Amino acid sequence: MNSKNLLTALAASSLLLISAPTFAQETREFSVSTVLSDAFPWGQAAVKWAELVEERSEGRMKLTIYPNAQLVSGDQTREFSAMRSGIIDMAVASTINWSPQVPELNLFSLPFLMPDEAAIDAITQGEAGQAIFEAIEKRGVIPLAWGENGFRELSNSRGAISQPADLKGLKVRVVGSPLFLDTFNTLGANPTQMSWADAQPALTTGAVDGQENPLSVFDVARIDQVGQKHLTLWRYMADPLVFGVNQRVWNSLSTEDQTLLKEAAIEAGAWEIAKSRAELVETLERIKERGVEVTELTPEQHAAFVDATESVYEKWVPRIGQDLFNKAKAAVDAR
């Protein structure tokens, strides 16, 4: 080899040595869908996950968050289908919104199944929670961890609610779930399914009397400003969140990156659950300071609502799965 060719070969080798590490560190970006922004604990869970993943992967993986169900044009009940088909890579999602495609998730919407946070944990961290994760995975999404949107409380513009009879004829905005319709119809209310964008003007004009949402949503979204001056703490159902990944995306990751992604999700979920629960007392105080009348049910009043919604179980437990329900109920009773 003459000197000119030798110099050319050495230059080429140097370029390869320089470019190889750069290529190895190329960032892979993934979309993450959420319904709420980081003004809410739900969105904060996604942000925490993204931060942990980017830090621990040293920039190799970047999770880009799309709040307000942007990737499905605001139709949050389409999120699971879009994720399964690959339109969405990942999500921090509501069990309610995924329940049309994963019937087992309706377990969490059964009225008054979970009276406290310990009951939520008993289900999600036990055999029932594992069975639900298996049901999600069978439908093309890999569940990694649990988060929490919290107990959904009832507000309205008409007056205090402390017994089932107080709901008679009450026009209540509910999310897009048939189980929610059955629960409120059973209680004598007049439930209406609508998006939150449509609900706000309906509440303002009085076309709708009430709504149900976690305290964090009531607080941050200032629901008291749309005529909701009466709030009942009845804890009729809770909404765990699921950190999930599209199956094809998951399979494209190395074992190391799968472990990293899952461990970061578990940590972010635990962080968000602890944070949101710790803030509940302060959140409720802010709501009261804005002039909202808060009704806390006595054990006897709570029991009356439980008795009034028994028929919902007769219809929905067979759809959810008797075995799954039995596992959940046993876990709650043993908590």
Side-chain angles (χ1 to χ4, degrees):
M1 181 181 291
N2 60 39
S3 60
K4 182 179 179 180
N5 289 340
L6 179 60
L7 287 172
T8 301
L10 289 171
S13 298
S14 297
L15 284 172
L16 286 172
L17 288 170
I18 294 170
S19 62
T22 304
F23 178 77
Q25 292 299 317
E26 182 179 354
T27 299
R28 189 175 177 190
E29 186 174 344
F30 303 94
S31 62
V32 181
S33 176
T34 65
V35 170
L36 296 180
S37 72
D38 61 5
F40 304 85
W42 186 340
Q44 292 162 13
V47 170
K48 185 71 170 178
W49 190 23
E51 290 173 349
L52 291 172
V53 169
E54 187 162 4
E55 175 189 341
R56 293 175 184 180
S57 70
E58 298 181 336
R60 287 185 295 101
M61 290 193 287
K62 177 178 175 59
L63 309 189
T64 301
I65 301 165
Y66 295 86
N68 306 314
Q70 292 177 46
L71 300 177
V72 284
S73 303
D75 185 355
Q76 56 211 58
T77 59
R78 288 178 47 223
E79 184 180 67
F80 188 85
S81 297
M83 193 171 174
R84 183 168 53 189
S85 65
I87 296 172
I88 296 171
D89 296 325
M90 305 180 189
V92 179
S94 160
T95 57
I96 300 168
N97 293 334
W98 283 11
S99 64
Q101 291 81 35
V102 187
E104 291 85 350
L105 290 174
N106 285 294
L107 175 77
F108 297 107
S109 297
L110 287 172
F112 307 104
L113 173 64
M114 299 167 288
D116 50 35
E117 283 85 1
I120 301 173
D121 296 341
I123 293 176
T124 58
Q125 304 306 313
E127 289 184 24
Q130 183 57 42
I132 289 170
F133 268 19
E134 290 170 2
I136 295 172
E137 185 168 350
K138 286 178 182 176
R139 292 169 175 87
V141 171
I142 307 299
L144 303 181
W146 295 100
E148 189 169 285
N149 194 28
F151 281 99
R152 300 180 75 91
E153 313 291 14
L154 179 65
S155 73
N156 80 100
S157 58
R158 291 201 328 198
I161 293 174
S162 60
Q163 57 184 337
D166 295 334
L167 273 83
K168 187 172 179 59
L170 193 76
K171 293 174 287 185
V172 183
R173 177 266 175 181
V174 297
V175 298
S177 165
L179 200 164
F180 279 61
L181 289 176
D182 286 344
T183 296
F184 280 90
N185 279 323
T186 298
L187 290 169
N190 181 14
T192 302
Q193 290 182 350
M194 61 176 66
S195 69
W196 186 243
D198 293 332
Q200 288 176 298
L203 290 165
T204 301
T205 62
V208 173
D209 300 314
Q211 62 84 50
E212 46 78 52
N213 257 308
L215 290 180
S216 61
V217 176
F218 189 101
D219 177 40
V220 178
R222 292 303 304 270
I223 295 179
D224 55 287
Q225 292 184 338
V226 291
Q228 300 295 285
K229 296 301 183 182
H230 304 277
L231 176 66
T232 297
L233 305 183
W234 66 338
R235 294 192 158 197
Y236 87 111
M237 62 83 58
D239 182 23
L241 303 175
V242 177
F243 291 70
V245 184
N246 167 274
Q247 193 169 54
R248 288 188 293 275
V249 169
W250 180 255
N251 291 339
S252 73
L253 299 173
S254 67
T255 302
E256 177 188 2
D257 284 346
Q258 287 178 349
T259 300
L260 186 157
L261 196 65
K262 182 171 183 176
E263 289 179 349
I266 292 170
E267 184 172 330
W271 172 86
E272 184 264 342
I273 290 170
K275 181 176 185 291
S276 59
R277 291 180 183 179
E279 293 172 348
L280 283 174
V281 172
E282 183 181 340
T283 299
L284 186 58
E285 285 306 310
R286 280 197 301 270
I287 292 170
K288 289 179 178 179
E289 288 169 3
R290 297 202 291 262
V292 176
E293 178 187 338
V294 176
T295 300
E296 299 191 46
L297 300 182
T298 66
E300 293 75 20
Q301 289 170 332
H302 185 271
F305 281 99
V306 173
D307 293 342
T309 52
E310 282 184 357
S311 63
V312 177
Y313 283 71
E314 296 171 11
K315 179 177 180 179
W316 278 92
V317 167
R319 299 183 182 187
I320 294 166
Q322 186 68 54
D323 183 60
L324 175 60
F325 172 75
N326 291 344
K327 288 177 180 177
K329 187 67 169 63
V332 170
D333 292 343
R335 74 190 186 285

